[in-house]
Amino acid sequence: MASFQKATRASVSMKRFISFQQPSTRSVATRATSYTLNTGAKIPALGFGTFQDPDSQEDTVSRALQKGMRLIDTARVYNVEEQVGRGIKKSGVPREDIFVGTKLWCNDYHPEDVERALDDSLRDLDTPYVDLMLMHYPCTFQRGPDRFPRNAEGRMIAGETTYLETWKAMEKLTRTGKVKAIGVSNFSKGEVETLLRGSSTVPAVHQMEVHPYLQQKGFNQWLKTKGIHTVQFSPLGNMNDFYRQTGWSKDISHMMRVIDQPILKEIGEKYGKTPVQVVLAWGINSGRSVIPKSIVDWQIEQNLEADFELQPEDMAQIATLDAKARFNDPSLDYEWRLYSDLEGIEGTVRGLTH
């Protein structure tokens, strides 16, 4: 009996030692962070992207809203606005509780086309207004129904207007009640400065590629000083196969996926989170909104649990992953040097987007 008690005490002592030596999982609370735009409106930090998978969008948008998502990001060129609109209605969530953003495509940049293009989006989304309308790229394409107008050699045909003229047309829409805020996407610093100098409206949002491999620290800080909120697209970097399959796929898109980085796995273990959740939390803890896409229920649920506080030492570790690797760069297809004064423009490839 004495030896049994001695062995039990030793066993308990060893268990205590093992427990003490093992890294403990930090208890984290899931938040529902939002940010205030320069218009005074609130935008959620965590949203739902709708790029690709048109046949799945109605059900997934509906389920995402029912599970708690409140920011829906879409675009005219995605060809999913009808499905997104049906998903919003199907969810049963009141429209006023949802932040809906869409994007104007490059063939509708002529000032006379802008309001009609917005009306087309409102019709398909089945909503009287959008909370945010973005200019998708700074480049303009030839007016007309063809979204990718090309000449006999397959080269993109440029439009006759400028993005500043388009912006001024968008400014007028904010007075109609059909759009609450306007912004841009995929602009360089110089192009944003052109808007600031040439108009009276500071963009509410700049949506751009940001992830641990492309952190754009200086540009993000500059945008903050101008009161422009950043929304990260491709927040998981090269996880999306699109970047390996498009005609202008860059060699760097085949590098190790962001979420496979050991640092992110280690940080995730500390919080009881996945690398995906850590990457999304990094964006939110940096003061930005993130819009991951997924059509899988368990992934949507995990994304919703990605709004949690990261400790400064973990943010510092993620900062070391910055490779200035830009995966989204259709410059040579669009006949426009995108991101001209930003990081990660090396290795641009000529090829067709579609």
Side-chain angles (χ1 to χ4, degrees):
M1 181 67 175
S3 64
F4 173 78
Q5 290 174 333
K6 183 177 180 181
T8 301
R9 284 195 298 271
S11 174
V12 170
S13 176
M14 180 58 69
K15 285 179 181 177
R16 285 174 179 162
F17 175 77
I18 291 171
S19 176
F20 177 78
Q21 291 295 317
Q22 288 177 335
S24 60
T25 299
R26 186 184 299 273
S27 177
V28 295
T30 300
R31 307 176 299 188
T33 304
S34 65
Y35 301 106
T36 302
L37 300 178
N38 59 26
T39 61
K42 298 281 189 180
I43 184 172
L46 185 62
F48 187 78
T50 61
F51 176 54
Q52 302 173 308
D53 308 306
D55 294 338
S56 303
Q57 291 303 334
E58 179 179 340
D59 287 337
T60 53
V61 166
S62 175
R63 292 199 302 273
L65 289 169
Q66 290 170 349
K67 292 176 185 296
M69 287 285 185
R70 289 297 180 266
L71 166 59
I72 303 295
D73 175 82
T74 191
R76 192 64 183 163
V77 78
Y78 297 168
N79 291 318
V80 297
E81 286 179 320
E82 288 188 49
Q83 296 92 324
V84 169
R86 290 197 296 268
I88 290 172
K89 284 291 196 301
K90 187 175 182 179
S91 73
V93 177
R95 172 64 184 88
E96 60 271 19
D97 292 345
I98 308 169
F99 191 103
V100 179
T102 193
K103 306 179 194 73
L104 180 73
W105 186 241
C106 308
N107 66 320
D108 281 328
Y109 278 12
H110 192 283
E112 293 178 7
D113 297 334
V114 171
E115 185 166 12
R116 187 266 310 152
L118 172 61
D119 289 339
D120 290 345
S121 289
L122 296 178
R123 179 197 65 226
D124 289 352
L125 288 166
D126 194 14
T127 180
Y129 68 95
V130 288
D131 298 273
L132 178 66
M133 182 184 188
L134 303 177
M135 205 183 316
H136 208 138
Y137 282 94
C139 43
T140 68
F141 297 166
Q142 182 184 61
R143 295 177 72 186
D146 191 349
R147 290 180 179 159
F148 294 88
R150 301 181 185 277
N151 62 21
E153 288 75 42
R155 305 286 285 268
M156 201 72 72
I157 304 172
E160 296 178 354
T161 191
T162 68
Y163 61 82
L164 180 56
E165 292 172 328
T166 308
W167 182 251
K168 290 179 178 179
M170 291 172 64
E171 282 185 298
K172 296 176 182 177
L173 297 181
T174 60
R175 298 191 286 271
T176 67
K178 293 189 285 190
V179 57
K180 304 297 184 182
I182 57 175
V184 295
S185 181
N186 295 297
F187 273 50
S188 69
K189 180 181 177 182
E191 289 160 349
V192 175
E193 288 177 320
T194 296
L195 298 185
L196 297 179
R197 288 193 305 267
S199 74
S200 58
T201 303
V202 176
V205 162
H206 184 200
Q207 187 177 125
M208 63 183 191
E209 181 182 351
V210 184
H211 43 73
Y213 280 168
L214 183 67
Q215 300 186 17
Q216 304 197 80
K217 299 168 188 173
F219 188 35
N220 269 302
Q221 184 57 41
W222 180 83
L223 289 167
K224 278 186 180 180
T225 67
K226 300 300 180 182
I228 302 171
H229 180 64
T230 298
V231 174
Q232 298 180 200
F233 74 71
S234 297
L236 304 176
N238 57 342
M239 185 174 177
N240 193 330
D241 285 340
F242 171 79
Y243 290 127
R244 287 177 285 280
Q245 296 169 354
T246 184
W248 41 261
S249 175
K250 298 167 74 170
D251 289 343
I252 57 169
S253 67
H254 300 273
M255 67 192 292
M256 177 190 288
R257 296 188 309 170
V258 172
I259 63 169
D260 291 331
Q261 280 288 340
I263 286 176
L264 299 175
K265 294 180 180 180
E266 292 171 11
I267 294 173
E269 289 171 2
K270 176 179 175 180
Y271 294 89
K273 298 289 187 177
T274 68
V276 168
Q277 291 172 317
V278 170
V279 171
L280 297 178
W282 167 79
I284 296 171
N285 279 257
S286 300
R288 301 185 288 265
S289 294
V290 295
I291 46 172
K293 64 172 290 291
S294 179
I295 59 172
V296 182
D297 273 3
W298 65 266
Q299 290 178 342
I300 295 171
E301 290 171 359
Q302 285 198 351
N303 290 347
L304 279 164
E305 296 173 357
D307 185 359
F308 63 94
E309 182 181 2
L310 283 170
Q311 295 303 302
E313 63 267 24
D314 300 314
M315 294 290 287
Q317 279 203 80
I318 297 172
T320 67
L321 296 176
D322 192 3
K324 298 176 175 51
R326 184 181 296 277
F327 304 121
N328 185 76
D329 193 352
S331 294
L332 294 178
D333 186 25
Y334 292 0
E335 304 287 340
W336 186 282
R337 178 61 268 183
L338 298 164
Y339 325 116
S340 59
D341 53 14
L342 301 178
E343 299 170 336
I345 63 172
E346 301 78 14
T348 305
V349 174
R350 182 172 292 282
L352 301 186
T353 305
H354 297 288

